[in-house]
Amino acid sequence: MSRRLFHKNLSLFKKREKRLFELAVSTHLPSNFHIFNAKSGEPTLKVGEISFHSLKSPSKTEKENIKEWAKKINISPNQDIFVFGLGLFYHIEQI
């Protein structure tokens, strides 16, 4: 996600859900929680030694992961999918 789109989403979030936005931005993250740019320039997330997304190209990697996952399970286009845990939403964009 580009920084421009990220800031646009934040502005919309603040406009539509002001109380939830205020709660989100006032939440203090643990010291081992790091968001930084991957080699591709996209944001990626690491908590302690656990990487939640690729350190090279998060969106490309998640696209490949979702394709593999979709092959392994037989789902129809109209079937509901529940996702637990979001990370930085790269996998959600692909679904």
Side-chain angles (χ1 to χ4, degrees), residues 24-82:
V25 298
S26 67
T27 300
H28 297 284
L29 300 174
S31 62
N32 65 346
F33 186 100
H34 301 284
I35 296 177
F36 56 96
N37 287 339
K39 288 183 180 182
S40 65
E42 299 168 300
T44 193
L45 169 64
K46 194 171 185 179
V47 178
E49 295 301 314
I50 300 170
S51 297
F52 281 67
H53 301 289
S54 167
L55 301 179
K56 293 180 182 178
S57 181
S59 61
K60 180 180 177 185
T61 302
E62 290 304 324
K63 185 174 187 175
E64 293 166 2
N65 289 343
I66 293 298
K67 282 182 183 179
E68 280 299 311
W69 174 72
K71 287 179 189 176
K72 289 180 182 178
I73 63 172
N74 190 18
I75 59 170
S76 68
N78 297 328
Q79 191 171 352
D80 292 333
I81 299 172
F82 293 93

